[in-house]
Amino acid sequence: MKTISIGVLSFILGAVIAGMIGFKMFIGLAQMGILTEMNAHSVSLDMISEGNVSELKKSNCFVLKVALENYAQFEDSFWAIDNARGTPEMTQEFLSKVKVQVKNSELCKNT
């Protein structure tokens, strides 16, 4: 009986510790995502304030093209989620919008 209770307590303690580590990693990923978004907008504002609007257009088109390629690689993975932007429909709608912007936008065609 003592061995079973020690085993159960060890399992529970291990699950709690693993859960705390996982939650810390989740929060860290969320923070990195927020900081990445802030950096993108900060750089955009810097470029606009310096009058480098054409460079900003080129940069945004390039980043979106590469991001679409990278997302496509992850999309086929077993571990991928289909509701990265709320619901699967919202995610697909957003991806379609970005694809149209990159392929058909006059801004990206001229860069």
Side-chain angles (χ1 to χ4, degrees), residues 2 8 11 14 17-18 21 26-27 29 31 37 48 51 57 59 61-62 69 73 79-80 87 92 95 97 107:
K2 183 178 177 181
V8 169
F11 176 78
I17 290 171
I21 292 170
F26 170 75
I27 295 298
L29 270 172
Q31 286 178 302
E37 186 176 356
I48 291 169
K57 291 176 192 176
S59 172
C61 289
F62 175 76
E69 293 169 5
Q73 290 177 352
W79 301 104
T87 65
Q92 289 307 313
L95 287 171
K97 174 187 168 187
L107 293 175

Side-chain angles (χ1 to χ4, degrees), residues 24-72:
K24 182 163 180 68
M25 291 173 69
F26 170 75
I27 295 298
L29 270 172
Q31 286 178 302
M32 285 189 286
I34 292 166
L35 288 174
T36 300
E37 186 176 356
M38 289 170 58
N39 181 57
H41 293 294
S42 175
V43 168
S44 295
L45 288 175
D46 284 344
M47 292 178 91
I48 291 169
S49 68
E50 294 169 3
N52 292 333
V53 177
S54 64
E55 287 299 315
L56 177 61
K57 291 176 192 176
K58 289 179 188 176
S59 172
N60 285 339
C61 289
F62 175 76
V63 168
L64 287 175
K65 287 177 189 176
V66 172
L68 283 171
E69 293 169 5
N70 291 341
Y71 189 85

Side-chain angles (χ1 to χ4, degrees), residues 2-3 5 13-14 17 22 24 30 35-36 39-40 43 45 52 74 78 81 84 86 91 94 96 103 107-108 110:
K2 183 178 177 181
T3 305
S5 61
L13 182 61
I17 290 171
K24 182 163 180 68
L35 288 174
T36 300
N39 181 57
V43 168
L45 288 175
N52 292 333
F74 286 110
F78 168 77
I81 58 173
T91 302
F94 178 70
S96 296
K103 289 180 182 174
L107 293 175
C108 289
N110 297 329

